Amino acid sequence: MKLSTMTSAVAALATTTSLCAPAFAQDNVEATFGILFGPTVPFVVCGTTPMVEELADAGFDINVVHSAQLGSENQMAEQVSFGELEMAVITSSIFAAWMDDISVLEAYYLYDNVDQVMEVYETPTAQALLDELMQVANVRVIGSPWLYGTRNVFGNREIREPADFENVRMRVPETPVSIEGARSLGAQPTPVAYSELYVALQQGIVDVAEAPIPIIGLESFDEPADYVMMTKHLITAMPFVVSEDFWQSLDEDHQQALTDAATAASERVRDCVAEAEEETLAGWKEDGAVTVIDDLDIDAIREKSRAHFSSGLPYSETYVQLREDLE
């Protein structure tokens, strides 16, 4: 099923569901939903848009502001913390500004598969992190995380084994855990703004970068790149977060409706990401736009990265504990 077909089906389901939505005692709730990505990514197509339609019949009037119009993830995180923004979907490592340990949720090779990243918040170790986040940052995580995708390395250097990362300039977001991620592979971390990544690859400022397969295709990053290496080094699922002040202003029915809608959106996004990844890979194999390398020595790469994260970092003990929790 094509992504456009799935989108229509999701919208129809949302409309049908709304016809039997219960009445709510609280007055209409106005809220702004900040999102980093543009309107074509699965986060918006399969998550945000139908979620807003569902919540309209549960007494919510939500204004979605996408494409980073409210600022970077760091800025939106601050806005949620200060109560200036009611809700957002934000990478967990962004909250390292308040607490170092939460960075661990974005550490390379923490997860073996998508099921683990979707279930990680249920572990006692992660629950303790989220409880602390609410206390120190005034940010509450609700529902299930939204899958961004399985991240892979792409660019203009062919990589098949750990030694191939030597002297490779790898673009990473400017967060400590992402910088450590590049180091864990043996690459040279090179922070570059997301908006400048295309040009950075095109001009050779960086040799490689990393992102989920659908994002590489949707953002046309495959144009300045020759190779996509299926490293699967990180599976990112972003938490749906709300300002604790906003949450406490809601009655129990609205809190439950928002939680249910966030979780339902998470399930739809996961399906859409899987479909988009399959379609993108099939397209590359058909048109030869990039060379997909899937026979790299993933065991050796994974072992080296996990060893890096397992000792010497502020969250290494938490990394090891989460690995045990998820087994």
Side-chain angles (χ1 to χ4, degrees), residues 106-108 170 172 175-187 189 233 305 308-309 315:
E106 289 293 303
Y108 285 11
M170 180 173 172
V172 293
T175 61
V177 71
S178 299
I179 291 170
E180 290 299 336
R183 289 172 177 161
S184 78
L185 299 175
H233 55 274
S305 181
H308 180 89
F309 278 107
Y315 44 82

Side-chain angles (χ1 to χ4, degrees), residues 37 43 73 89-93 105-108 111 113-114 117-118 121 145-151 178 210-212 233-239 269 273:
F37 310 106
F43 259 41
E73 281 191 288
V89 180
I90 297 175
T91 310
S92 55
S93 59
L105 296 172
E106 289 293 303
Y108 285 11
Y111 312 106
N113 51 57
V114 173
V117 75
M118 300 302 290
Y121 292 157
W146 291 23
L147 183 65
Y148 182 52
T150 301
R151 305 173 79 110
S178 299
E210 52 88 45
H233 55 274
L234 175 61
I235 307 172
T236 295
M238 301 181 181
V269 169
V273 167

Side-chain angles (χ1 to χ4, degrees), residues 57-207:
D57 293 282
F60 287 87
D61 181 9
I62 297 177
N63 174 36
V64 178
V65 184
H66 57 68
S67 303
Q69 294 179 68
L70 292 175
S72 65
E73 281 191 288
N74 300 77
Q75 291 169 324
M76 285 193 291
E78 290 180 355
Q79 292 164 22
V80 174
S81 178
F82 295 150
E84 299 168 355
L85 176 62
E86 285 78 19
M87 61 185 74
V89 180
I90 297 175
T91 310
S92 55
S93 59
I94 295 298
F95 294 104
W98 286 270
M99 46 181 292
D100 287 337
D101 268 15
I102 204 163
S103 296
V104 72
L105 296 172
E106 289 293 303
Y108 285 11
Y109 293 109
L110 175 62
Y111 312 106
D112 290 325
N113 51 57
V114 173
D115 286 341
Q116 287 187 347
V117 75
M118 300 302 290
E119 297 168 1
V120 67
Y121 292 157
E122 299 174 13
T123 65
T125 304
Q127 278 291 323
L129 292 174
L130 299 184
D131 289 345
E132 183 179 352
L133 179 66
M134 188 168 61
Q135 295 299 318
V136 300
N138 197 44
V139 172
R140 177 183 289 265
V141 174
I142 66 171
S144 299
W146 291 23
L147 183 65
Y148 182 52
T150 301
R151 305 173 79 110
N152 296 278
V153 173
F154 65 96
N156 299 309
R157 293 283 290 269
E158 184 176 356
I159 294 170
R160 295 181 180 274
E161 58 185 29
D164 294 335
F165 278 105
E166 186 176 352
N167 297 321
V168 169
R169 293 165 298 179
M170 180 173 172
R171 181 270 169 184
V172 293
E174 197 168 357
T175 61
V177 71
S178 299
I179 291 170
E180 290 299 336
R183 289 172 177 161
S184 78
L185 299 175
Q188 297 178 8
T190 309
V192 171
Y194 184 77
S195 60
E196 300 171 4
L197 174 52
Y198 186 102
V199 174
L201 278 168
Q202 191 177 50
Q203 297 182 351
I205 297 170
V206 297
D207 301 308

Side-chain angles (χ1 to χ4, degrees), residues 212-234:
I213 296 298
I215 300 301
I216 298 172
L218 287 169
E219 299 284 16
S220 300
F221 292 144
D222 49 348
E223 293 177 356
D226 295 324
Y227 305 99
V228 174
M229 279 66 63
M230 301 297 286
T231 51
K232 300 180 181 180
H233 55 274
L234 175 61

Side-chain angles (χ1 to χ4, degrees), residues 270-316:
R270 178 177 181 176
D271 289 341
C272 282
V273 167
E275 181 183 7
E277 179 172 317
E278 182 179 340
E279 290 182 359
T280 303
L281 285 170
W284 287 339
K285 291 179 180 179
E286 181 177 345
D287 61 26
V290 293
T291 299
V292 178
I293 298 176
D294 54 13
D295 61 346
L296 64 172
D297 190 350
I298 192 68
D299 290 338
I301 294 170
R302 183 192 300 115
E303 182 179 356
K304 180 177 180 178
S305 181
R306 282 183 173 169
H308 180 89
F309 278 107
S310 293
S311 64
L313 298 171
Y315 44 82
S316 290

